[in-house]
Amino acid sequence: MGTTMRGILPATALAVLLWGCGGGTSGGDATDVPDAVDPGMDVPADPGVTDDPGVRDEGADPGTPPDASPDSTPDEGPTPDAPADVPVDTPDVPADVPPPPLWENLAPAGGGRLGSIVGVASHMNVAAGEDVERAFELASYQEFSGFRIRRGMRWNVVEPAQDDWRWERVSGGPNDSHDAGIRFMPMLAYGNKWAQADPDIYGTLNIADYADYAGQMAAMFCDKAKDYEIWNEQDTERFWHMRPDPERYADMLIAASAAIRASCPDARVVFGGLTSYGELDMWDRWLFLRLALQARPELCTAMDAVALHPYTWFQFDSPEHDEVLTEFATKDSQSAMTRIAREILEDAGCGDKPLLFTELGWPTYDLTDEQVARFAVRSLLLAARDGVEGWYWYTFWDDPPESGGIRPHENHFGLWRWPGADGTIREAKPAWHTLKGADSLLGHHRFARDLGPALGLPNDVYVLAFVDEDGGIGLAMWDGREMPDEWLDGMDAGGPDTTYALELPLPDCTTGTRHFDMLGDPIDDPQEGASVALTLTPEVRYLLIDCASSQSRQPGRP
């Protein structure tokens, strides 16, 4: 697994290992189960999902297509353009681009404040009324300088029969989030028996009925939510119940977009989050997006942003890790996945569309708490560098510990541990604290420049510069080679104990520096003069530079 895997497993074995996540809660066909809110309602159950809108149920087996049996073979997908040859080594910063100056004209690159990017793909109870766990979750988010939530708002729960709207089942989440000052994005899914040609198959839904649901949701919550994500992982059979169909999905989004914009003119329509190893061709990254745009070029006008779920291989590899397996098969880093999505959009004529990572994360199951803490904050910082508009960790709470299944890791993605059967346990994992550390130091800063090219840093060693509105400079620095990149002709330097000795020239305006660890706690300042000597490791370090020309915020100051 991870960097120890050489070559490609047979397709069926790989499907079982990579896609068969979630232990006893994942997989299986849709079945009828009683609705926990309204016992008389006939609701199809999603694999791994409960049907009570008030429980932590979102149901995504993070970033994975459906389970595959040992006897199954992948369907033959559409025939896309052949992928380009995989180079032996592709650094995250192209080698033929002249490096920018180190400090000259340092200014925001155009993205939002770091604090406005961070969020959670939540499983919170969205029903109206008091909820202790939801109240705690929202209060926790308020500790950040800004926050955003993505939450599923299931069609069959809010409209169990045509034109029978049960708004009390979904109004608590958006209303309470808005009151707490937290940006809320509904994810509009899934199917609805009465609106499907086949009541057991989501993909047979009536598009006009789905569009009406989307428009009604936008009309009801227009003053509470401005972004509406159209479905979840529609490139997998698990959440479509039939072979993924880019053309039909595009038609559905176009119809939903018209209804949403008619109901809430300033709303934004988001192309639903795609899995990083999609089912049509797991090695052709974001193929579903490319095929949807080819089938319906008007998608560029109908959508305002694109959502991705850039989980790394097995949700195990680090965010920086790239690996070439064959000429046509790669395990891509987060930045590589981002770049590929932008290339697809550019080729389709909509390269200006923002990207949202509406799910990503790593489980504290076969990774340690400390590894996940490192990966989380580095992923956030790389997303800021790459201009990603929203970064949503999956998810806030762990679910009950699981020990069954092939790889029962899905219940361990939370930033907080399972609250227990009685809901009283409150224990944050280290990843929560590293995200808070980044926000306390850089929450009011915007990404400005990757200083790596100017400093001549090796691939996956980072010094990222952020600036605040007063011109204050904050650096986030780390050696991301703990899982070294692997190529057809060998492996890059690095490993778990990787370090990089850096002599960092300081800007001429420097009057002092303040040095912080990954949690945002101050540490002894390195000896400095015209430069500062640092040893970078996989743990992020921060350096705030006080300049004579700026009045930068103190860490944690609003």
Side-chain angles (χ1 to χ4, degrees), residues 144 362 364 368-377 391 393 413-417 428-438 518-519:
F144 285 73
W362 289 264
T364 53
T368 67
D369 282 356
E370 291 71 27
Q371 284 177 303
V372 172
R374 294 194 298 269
F375 292 0
V377 70
W391 178 95
W393 181 271
F413 276 84
L415 292 169
W416 287 70
R417 303 201 194 281
K429 297 183 187 178
W432 173 260
H433 296 298
T434 61
L435 296 177
K436 284 190 64 178
M518 191 165 64
L519 298 176

Side-chain angles (χ1 to χ4, degrees), residues 20-27 61 67 402-411:
C21 303
T25 63
S26 69
D61 183 0
D67 294 338
E402 281 283 342
S403 58
I406 296 174
R407 187 168 177 257
H409 67 307
E410 184 178 348
N411 290 8

Side-chain angles (χ1 to χ4, degrees), residues 524-535:
D524 291 339
D525 285 331
Q527 185 177 3
E528 66 179 67
S531 63
V532 59
L534 301 163
T535 300

Side-chain angles (χ1 to χ4, degrees), residues 511-542:
T511 59
T513 61
R514 290 166 287 151
H515 196 201
F516 300 85
D517 66 15
M518 191 165 64
L519 298 176
D521 294 328
I523 55 179
D524 291 339
D525 285 331
Q527 185 177 3
E528 66 179 67
S531 63
V532 59
L534 301 163
T535 300
L536 305 187
T537 74
E539 291 195 0
V540 175
R541 299 172 68 167
Y542 300 96

Side-chain angles (χ1 to χ4, degrees), residues 31 39 67 95-96 98 141 202 305 332 342 347 379 390 436 476 516 523 555:
T31 56
D67 294 338
D96 58 349
Y141 298 150
Y202 290 164
D332 296 322
R342 286 224 166 87
D347 289 345
S379 170
K436 284 190 64 178
F516 300 85
I523 55 179

